[in-house]
Amino acid sequence: MLSLNNLSKFYRTDEVETVALNAVNIAIEQGEFVAVMGPSGCGKSTLLNVIGMLDRPSEGEYLFMGEDVAGYGEGKLSEIRKQNIGFIFQNFNLIDELSVQENIELALLYHDISARERKQRVAEVMDKVGIAHRAKHRPSQLSGGQQQRVAVARAVVGSQSLILADEPTGNLDSVHGQEVMEMLQGLNEEGTTIVMVTHSAAHADYARRTINLFDGHVVTQSLRAA
């Protein structure tokens, strides 16, 4: 599905150059569930941003669905993101002025689909993640676990093939965190590719493969026993 080949990301100021990713080589197949781990500041979120085309690599090659997207302009990258990639964030990033249903539907407004189809897709995905009974509620009226369910629904409502999750359980207690992980596992079993940044070894165990970063390098990759 995607591969990073000798990919590096630098951040430069007049006086300092920071190496966030250093000659990273990673390949992720369609249908994989991959966890990315490592200490704070090791490049995990930068890696996710590059994979999600929110940030561009400084050097190297990024192949997505067979295309080298590293040199694409923002317009082209935006179109690829819209069609293929959903994002789940630690802080949910929901709009409190909108209802649950409206927050989810927002992800479809830039797709060329009718209002009727949008409503149908939103209803289906709310039912899928167990949040349909809260459709008219605002995010502030929900628990953290319920808000993350809305965020998951928003990420998958467009039928994206790749979900990028940045510490999706970071603001949740253990019970709600486990619920979200089981939901992600279920989506993966249905064929969605998931790349997840996490500090939790227990949650990384839901993934089939774990990539460990340190100082911008991939130091180890390990497969979970079947």
Side-chain angles (χ1 to χ4, degrees):
M1 182 180 204
L2 65 91
S3 64
L4 313 180
N5 304 313
N6 290 316
L7 187 143
S8 297
K9 177 62 183 178
F10 313 130
Y11 294 100
R12 295 184 176 96
T13 66
D14 291 340
E15 299 178 354
V16 178
E17 178 179 271
T18 301
V19 180
L21 297 173
N22 193 349
V24 167
N25 290 284
I26 294 173
I28 296 173
E29 300 296 330
Q30 176 69 45
E32 275 201 277
F33 189 162
V34 177
V36 181
M37 300 190 72
S40 296
C42 72
K44 300 186 302 297
S45 292
T46 299
L47 176 64
L48 216 61
N49 286 341
V50 169
I51 291 174
M53 304 177 203
L54 299 174
D55 211 347
R56 298 184 188 183
S58 303
E59 294 179 354
E61 182 181 62
Y62 176 18
L63 296 178
F64 185 84
M65 302 292 194
E67 295 183 64
D68 185 358
V69 301
Y72 282 2
E74 178 53 37
K76 179 68 172 177
L77 294 176
S78 177
E79 187 65 26
I80 296 172
R81 280 198 305 270
K82 181 174 67 175
Q83 298 298 327
N84 296 282
I85 304 174
F87 297 87
I88 304 170
F89 302 98
Q90 177 177 345
N91 295 322
F92 317 134
N93 287 2
L94 303 177
I95 299 173
D96 201 51
E97 291 75 21
L98 301 180
S99 68
V100 164
Q101 179 177 326
E102 290 167 338
N103 265 281
I104 298 169
E105 187 176 3
L106 196 63
L108 294 175
L109 292 182
Y110 299 103
H111 291 251
D112 187 22
I113 58 177
S114 67
R116 180 177 179 179
E117 184 179 349
R118 289 201 306 268
K119 299 293 185 186
Q120 181 179 343
R121 287 199 194 184
V122 170
E124 289 173 352
V125 78
M126 285 193 300
D127 187 60
K128 186 175 188 177
V129 303
I131 204 71
H133 63 297
R134 298 286 191 177
K136 301 300 183 184
H137 288 69
R138 296 182 185 275
S140 61
Q141 298 173 300
L142 307 179
S143 69
Q146 289 170 332
Q147 289 186 60
Q148 195 59 296
R149 285 176 179 269
V150 178
V152 171
R154 182 185 58 193
V156 302
V157 70
S159 301
Q160 283 82 353
S161 56
L162 172 63
I163 299 298
L164 303 179
D166 194 355
E167 295 283 359
T169 62
N171 285 333
L172 303 178
D173 60 34
S174 59
V175 172
H176 289 120
Q178 183 176 341
E179 289 178 358
V180 168
M181 290 309 306
E182 289 172 353
M183 187 164 34
L184 292 177
Q185 188 177 52
L187 290 169
N188 176 247
E189 289 171 353
E190 293 173 1
T192 303
T193 306
I194 297 175
V195 181
M196 175 186 69
V197 164
T198 183
H199 280 102
S200 168
H203 292 163
D205 280 344
Y206 282 85
R208 182 71 180 91
R209 177 160 56 113
T210 299
I211 296 171
N212 286 281
L213 293 182
F214 186 78
D215 286 349
H217 293 277
V218 175
V219 290
T220 62
Q221 298 192 51
S222 58
L223 291 174
R224 176 170 52 83

